[in-house]
Amino acid sequence: MACITEQDFKIAERIEREGKGCLIVVNKWDTIPNKNQQTTTYYEQDVREKLRILNWAPIVYSTAIQGHSVEKIIVAAGMVEKERSRRLTTATLNQVVREAVAFKPPPRTRGGKRGRVYYCTQAAIRPPTFVFFVNDAKLFPETYRRYMEKQLRTSAGFTGTPIRLLWRGRRKVEKYDGKDAATKRQVNLVPSDRGLTVTK
C-alpha cells in the first residue's frame, strides 16, 4: 500500500550501479480495492516515475498467498537471466547503430564539429557492455548516448538488465587496434546532408 519507499529506491540504485538484472514484483496486489485496468496503469506509472533508474525492468503483479502470478514471476526471472547473458553479432549490432545514426546524426558543436561512429562491438555480458569506437568521445553528449541506448533496447531487447555503453576516441581506437590500426579500421558511419556516407 506504501508503493515505492526510500529503501526501495536505495536498492534500485545499487542494482543499477552493480549492473545486476532486475524484475520488479508488486506483491499483495489483492489488497488494492476495486482494481481495474486504470488502476494497474496508474500504479505502473507511479512505479516508473519513482524508479526511473530501473526503467528497463519488467513489472509483475502478484498475490503470493493465493499463488497468483507466481509462475509468471519465475518465467520473467528466467527471461531476465537470458537477456543478461545474450550477445549480439557484430553485424547485427552495427546495423542497429547504422540505422540509429542515419535517423538521428550526432549533433554538431558550435565550431561545426560532429561525432563519427566508426564501429561498435559487444565487449562483455552480465551486464551487456558495448564499446563505440568514435573520432572523439567528447562530441557525444549525454543526451545522444541515452538516445543510442534507447535505440539498442528498442531494436535488440535486453529487458530486465542494465546495459553499458563505453565510448572510445580515435587515439584509444588506434591503441586498441595496435600496429595494424590503419588496415583494421572498420566501416565509418558518417552522416551527411545526402544521407549516410560509408567510408573506410
Side-chain angles (χ1 to χ4, degrees):
M1 296 297 290
C3 195
I4 302 300
T5 65
E6 182 179 354
Q7 181 66 12
D8 294 325
F9 183 75
K10 290 180 179 179
I11 293 172
E13 285 186 315
R14 184 170 181 180
I15 289 171
E16 205 287 329
R17 183 172 62 251
E18 297 188 6
K20 302 300 184 181
C22 181
L23 169 66
I24 299 173
V25 179
V26 180
N27 193 24
K28 300 185 179 179
W29 188 236
D30 58 317
T31 62
I32 305 297
N34 304 319
K35 294 185 297 295
N36 54 34
Q37 185 59 43
Q38 187 175 1
T39 306
T40 304
T41 301
Y42 174 80
Y43 199 93
E44 182 163 342
Q45 288 176 344
D46 189 60
V47 171
R48 294 299 184 196
E49 178 67 23
K50 294 177 179 177
L51 294 181
R52 292 182 182 179
I53 199 170
L54 298 181
N55 61 0
W56 39 262
I59 299 175
V60 175
Y61 297 88
S62 173
T63 304
I65 294 178
Q66 298 178 13
H68 294 169
S69 302
V70 173
E71 182 65 27
K72 188 185 299 183
I73 294 172
I74 301 301
V75 171
M79 177 196 68
V80 168
E81 174 60 22
K82 288 181 180 179
E83 291 294 287
R84 269 175 61 73
S85 305
R86 190 157 61 88
R87 285 187 179 273
L88 295 181
T89 66
T90 300
T92 298
L93 179 57
N94 281 280
Q95 178 64 27
V96 172
V97 174
R98 184 160 46 245
E99 292 175 356
V101 172
F103 182 77
K104 182 180 180 180
R108 291 185 184 276
T109 65
R110 292 183 178 180
K113 295 182 179 180
R114 191 199 293 271
R116 294 183 179 183
V117 180
Y118 297 127
Y119 66 101
C120 181
T121 185
Q122 184 171 353
I125 58 174
R126 304 175 62 82
T129 302
F130 305 92
V131 182
F132 287 74
F133 294 95
V134 300
N135 58 335
D136 187 347
K138 295 180 181 178
L139 296 177
F140 294 84
E142 186 61 30
T143 53
Y144 196 81
R145 298 183 185 204
R146 287 198 300 268
Y147 160 74
M148 190 60 73
E149 178 179 343
K150 182 178 179 180
Q151 293 304 110
L152 274 174
R153 288 189 179 280
T154 299
S155 300
F158 296 108
T159 300
T161 181
I163 62 176
R164 302 286 189 251
L165 273 59
L166 308 179
W167 302 76
R168 298 289 182 260
R170 182 189 297 274
R171 292 182 180 179
K172 291 184 178 180
V173 170
E174 292 175 352
K175 183 177 180 181
Y176 176 85
D177 285 342
K179 295 181 180 180
D180 297 327
T183 58
K184 288 185 178 180
R185 185 166 296 165
Q186 304 285 325
V187 174
N188 265 341
L189 308 178
V190 184
S192 67
D193 295 336
R194 298 180 179 178
L196 194 67
T197 302
V198 180
T199 61
K200 295 183 179 180

